[in-house]
């Protein structure tokens, strides 16, 4: 079960698109796709994650990962106790 896992991988992805990427609806109702060029653009956003568990709160750490899984930096976490 997820609340009992010693490790978890959570992914959060915002909208991404190539520069100039477009979807154009034609008069026929068909959609024409223009793939655009580099760089690929991504929206900057934040997310919140809540996990109910009986494990001690102090043992959890979060990391920003590269696409290959390498840890890039720690992410601040906040633990809350719900009674």
């Amino acid at each position: 079960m997820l609340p009992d896992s010693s490790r978890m991988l959570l992914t959060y992805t915002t909208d991404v698109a190539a520069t100039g990427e477009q979807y154009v609806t034609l008069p026929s109702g068909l959609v024409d796709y223009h793939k655009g060029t580099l760089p690929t653009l991504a929206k900057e956003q934040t997310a919140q994650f809540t996990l109910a568990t009986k494990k001690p709160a102090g043992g959890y750490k979060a990391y920003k990962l590269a696409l290959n899984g390498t840890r890039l930096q720690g992410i601040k976490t906040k633990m809350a106790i719900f009674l």
Side-chain angles (χ1 to χ4, degrees):
M1 301 284 283
L2 186 59
D4 300 320
S5 297
S6 60
R7 290 182 179 227
M8 296 172 235
L9 176 63
L10 307 171
T11 59
Y12 175 71
T13 305
T14 62
D15 291 334
V16 294
T19 301
E21 182 177 322
Q22 296 180 48
Y23 292 88
V24 179
T25 303
L26 304 173
S28 65
L30 295 175
V31 176
D32 193 15
Y33 171 69
H34 302 271
K35 74 176 191 172
T37 60
L38 293 174
T40 300
L41 307 172
K43 291 183 179 178
E44 183 176 328
Q45 294 183 344
T46 60
Q48 291 183 353
F49 173 75
T50 303
L51 174 69
T53 182
K54 294 179 181 172
K55 289 189 169 192
Y60 285 95
K61 295 179 183 178
Y63 298 94
K64 177 180 178 181
L65 302 179
L67 293 176
N68 66 1
T70 302
R71 292 178 181 174
L72 297 176
Q73 68 187 53
I75 298 174
K76 289 183 182 179
T77 58
K78 181 171 79 172
M79 303 298 166
I81 298 174
F82 298 98
L83 301 174

